[in-house]
Structure formats: C-alpha cells, structure tokens
Amino acid sequence: MMRALRMFTAMPRLFERTSARGRRAVLPGVLLVALAGGMSNVAQAAPTEEAPRIAPDFALRSVAGSNVRLHELRGQVVLLNFWANACAPCRQSLPRFAQWQAQYREAGLTVFAIDVDEDAQAARTTVERLDLNYAVLLDTDKTVSRAYALGALPTTVLIDRDGQVRAVMTKDGAVGAELERQLQDLLKE
C-alpha cells in the first residue's frame, strides 16, 4: 500500500513535465501500476484450499489401441499422470506409478499415464522399454491437457470415486510421499 501512496505523491512531478495530451495517455497506466502495487500483498496471501470439482471427462486412445473414457471409471480412484518423453523427471516417475498400480489395484486404484507428445511412437517405445502395468494414453492434440489446465510437467491428478478432482501435484510433488499419502486417504474413503 505504501508503494501505491508513493506513486500518487510522485504523480504531480510527472504531470508537470508532461503535456496535457501525454497526461491523458499516461494516467491509465500509472493508475494500473499504482493499484497493482497496492494490491501486491493480496497476491502474496496464503493459498486457500479449493473445493473439489468434477474432473473433465475425456476419451483417449491408449498405446495398446483401446479407448479409455474417464466417466466409465466412476467408483474407482483414478490417478492421471501427464508426461512427455522430453521430460526426464516424467520418465523417471513412470515406474513408481507401476508400483502403486500393483500395490493398490485391489483397493480400487486405476493409473493412467497421459503422454502429451505429438509423436505417439516415442511413447510406445518408452512404454515397451519400461514394461508398464497400466495404460498409457495419447493426448497428441493436447485436448485433455488443456481441459486440465496443465502448467508444468509432470503433473499428477487424483480423482476420487465420485469423479471429483481431489489433488493436483506438479513437478517434484507429482511423485512423492505427500501424493502417496493423499492416494491412500482416497482409497480409504
């Protein structure tokens, strides 16, 4: 707020050196900067936990050739891991999800890796090399990635048995103890 006040006290000096036409052109920008500066504390407030929302539905083809529709998986906890071949942390996380699929399948977990590369063959090669025990889906046109508003890779989304997004983890949090804890909690519900 102090920054905004300083901006307003400096405005008369700015206006003295600027023509009337220039002042009209500059004033909206100065006001925006002043307001943004005054609201910077609001932007730094602690994030609030957002309410669960229904997961965007999709139908994607798997590397194996079958179609997967998210809405058909109601009643199961679904883990979606968005990844790309060019992303080393993404490739490294894939075996971890295979472990979780084996460990939690009986409790109702279904894991999908969603490859966002345009080159489907590269995904097939990676899947064959890693011998994954879950479906790898192809989002070559990025439709599903946009629906989930991806900001970084890897991104992992946990969806509860009612089809609601309960957690979104990116980068280092996309695979880890906190994600597994949340997964275990969902499986107990």
Side-chain angles (χ1 to χ4, degrees):
M1 191 68 167
M2 292 305 295
R3 189 174 4 174
L5 289 174
R6 275 182 266 148
M7 295 270 309
F8 281 117
T9 58
M11 283 176 64
R13 289 189 304 267
L14 172 70
F15 281 2
E16 289 170 5
R17 294 184 304 235
T18 309
S19 68
R21 186 175 183 187
R23 284 192 295 264
R24 282 193 302 271
V26 170
L27 185 59
V30 170
L31 288 175
L32 279 174
V33 169
L35 286 173
M39 296 184 69
S40 65
N41 293 339
V42 174
Q44 294 170 0
T48 58
E49 192 169 315
E50 78 179 53
R53 62 181 169 88
I54 296 296
D57 195 17
F58 62 81
L60 289 175
R61 183 167 302 280
S62 74
V63 169
S66 61
N67 287 325
V68 173
R69 292 171 184 81
L70 183 62
H71 73 271
E72 294 175 353
L73 299 166
R74 291 281 166 92
Q76 298 178 49
V77 173
V78 177
L79 184 150
L80 303 177
N81 175 253
F82 291 88
W83 69 287
N85 263 302
C87 168
C90 297
R91 289 189 316 274
Q92 293 167 357
S93 69
L94 296 174
R96 179 69 165 284
F97 295 122
Q99 292 171 350
W100 290 356
Q101 178 66 37
Q103 183 176 353
Y104 300 117
R105 179 181 310 198
E106 295 299 316
L109 175 65
T110 301
V111 174
F112 294 105
I114 300 178
D115 178 54
V116 299
D117 288 315
E118 294 175 5
D119 181 8
Q121 186 54 46
R124 285 183 184 92
T125 303
T126 300
V127 169
E128 289 170 4
R129 185 173 40 80
L130 295 175
D131 193 30
L132 301 176
N133 61 351
Y134 55 88
V136 174
L137 309 177
L138 302 171
D139 186 26
T140 55
D141 65 359
K142 315 274 188 295
T143 304
V144 178
S145 303
R146 282 191 297 275
Y148 282 84
L150 293 190
L153 290 177
T155 295
T156 302
V157 178
L158 284 179
I159 301 170
D160 69 15
R161 297 176 196 276
D162 295 323
Q164 295 188 43
V165 173
R166 296 288 291 273
V168 177
M169 304 281 211
T170 59
K171 296 186 179 182
D172 295 336
V175 178
E178 175 61 20
L179 177 64
E180 187 170 17
R181 185 196 60 73
Q182 289 187 29
L183 173 62
Q184 291 169 341
D185 290 347
L186 278 180
L187 290 168
K188 291 175 188 173
E189 290 181 5

